[in-house]
Amino acid sequence: MRQLLLAASLGGAGLAVADDGFVIHDAGMDLRNNVYHLNARISYHLSQEAVNAVKNGVPLIIAMDIRVDRKRNWWLDKEVATLTQNYLLLYHALTEKYIIHNLNSGIQENFSNLDTALWSLGRVDSLPLIDANLLEPGSEYGIELRTRLDIESLPAPMRPLAYISSDWQLQSDWYSWSLVR
């Protein structure tokens, strides 16, 4: 019985550690009006230090990096496009709302709690990515996506700790897929 309780308690501790970080579950593109649009599902789980920072007024920038490369058999892949989509996450104490501000488009949304804000941030729907005319017909393209907390955007006094603390090293692995034009 003790071993079962110990295993259950260790399993729970392992799950708590795995909850911190960013995970891309699914990503793909669809073609509409001759433009490829990105759709993705991402889980954002902030460390307790990052949550405390946001609640105490420290704005966080979450960056989504996207790369499009044309695959080549006898040479290195050719970079076609790169895009970094930046989102500012902050807490407005007066209204008690969490704000996500898309720094690329200027669109801003307000949320009553942090979990809802992070859930919404993780639903990427129809983000215009690349004009189909920039892709050669019959060619294969590799698309890569990752998301990360931009440590460089933290206030200067916080950065040294963020560089060495795993609590601030929040980023997903690269998520890759192919597209044939």
Side-chain angles (χ1 to χ4, degrees), residues 57-122:
V58 176
L60 302 180
I61 292 182
I62 297 173
M64 188 169 34
D65 300 320
I66 307 160
R67 297 191 306 216
V68 179
D69 295 327
R70 185 168 59 94
K71 300 286 187 181
R72 298 193 284 193
N73 291 331
W74 305 105
W75 197 249
L76 298 175
D77 293 346
K78 179 182 179 187
E79 182 179 286
V80 176
T82 60
L83 170 69
T84 298
Q85 191 78 20
N86 291 308
Y87 298 92
L88 177 68
L89 170 64
L90 60 99
Y91 178 68
H92 191 268
L94 187 60
T95 61
E96 296 182 347
K97 299 282 185 189
Y98 290 89
I99 299 168
I100 293 182
H101 184 191
N102 183 324
L103 297 176
N104 295 57
S105 70
I107 295 172
Q108 180 173 304
E109 294 181 88
N110 301 323
F111 301 91
S112 59
N113 62 59
L114 182 58
D115 289 337
T116 305
L118 293 173
W119 179 85
S120 178
L121 184 61

Side-chain angles (χ1 to χ4, degrees), residues 1-9:
M1 184 67 153
R2 277 188 191 177
Q3 291 173 337
L4 181 61
L5 289 175
L6 179 60
S9 66

Side-chain angles (χ1 to χ4, degrees), residues 6-174:
L6 179 60
S9 66
L10 288 177
L15 289 175
V17 172
D19 282 346
D20 290 348
F22 301 165
V23 178
I24 299 172
H25 299 285
D26 186 38
M29 296 190 315
D30 60 353
L31 180 64
R32 283 185 283 123
N33 299 325
N34 215 35
V35 174
Y36 283 99
H37 292 80
L38 175 68
N39 301 299
R41 296 297 174 259
I42 304 167
S43 294
Y44 291 100
H45 299 285
L46 299 177
S47 64
Q48 191 58 51
E49 287 74 11
V51 169
N52 291 341
V54 169
K55 286 181 177 180
N56 286 305
V58 176
L60 302 180
I61 292 182
I62 297 173
M64 188 169 34
D65 300 320
I66 307 160
R67 297 191 306 216
V68 179
D69 295 327
R70 185 168 59 94
K71 300 286 187 181
R72 298 193 284 193
N73 291 331
W74 305 105
W75 197 249
L76 298 175
D77 293 346
K78 179 182 179 187
E79 182 179 286
V80 176
T82 60
L83 170 69
T84 298
Q85 191 78 20
N86 291 308
Y87 298 92
L88 177 68
L89 170 64
L90 60 99
Y91 178 68
H92 191 268
L94 187 60
T95 61
E96 296 182 347
K97 299 282 185 189
Y98 290 89
I99 299 168
I100 293 182
H101 184 191
N102 183 324
L103 297 176
N104 295 57
S105 70
I107 295 172
Q108 180 173 304
E109 294 181 88
N110 301 323
F111 301 91
S112 59
N113 62 59
L114 182 58
D115 289 337
T116 305
L118 293 173
W119 179 85
S120 178
L121 184 61
R123 294 188 56 84
V124 179
D125 292 316
S126 297
L127 174 69
L129 183 58
I130 190 166
D131 190 301
N133 294 325
L134 298 174
L135 305 179
E136 295 177 22
S139 294
E140 180 181 358
Y141 292 86
I143 294 82
E144 295 182 308
L145 169 68
R146 105 174 146 179
T147 187
R148 60 186 168 80
L149 177 67
D150 184 4
I151 293 175
E152 289 294 318
S153 68
L154 290 172
M158 293 181 70
R159 279 186 230 146
L161 178 62
Y163 286 126
I164 61 172
S165 172
S166 62
D167 294 325
W168 290 97
Q169 303 298 317
L170 300 172
Q171 75 175 22
S172 71
D173 293 330
W174 284 99

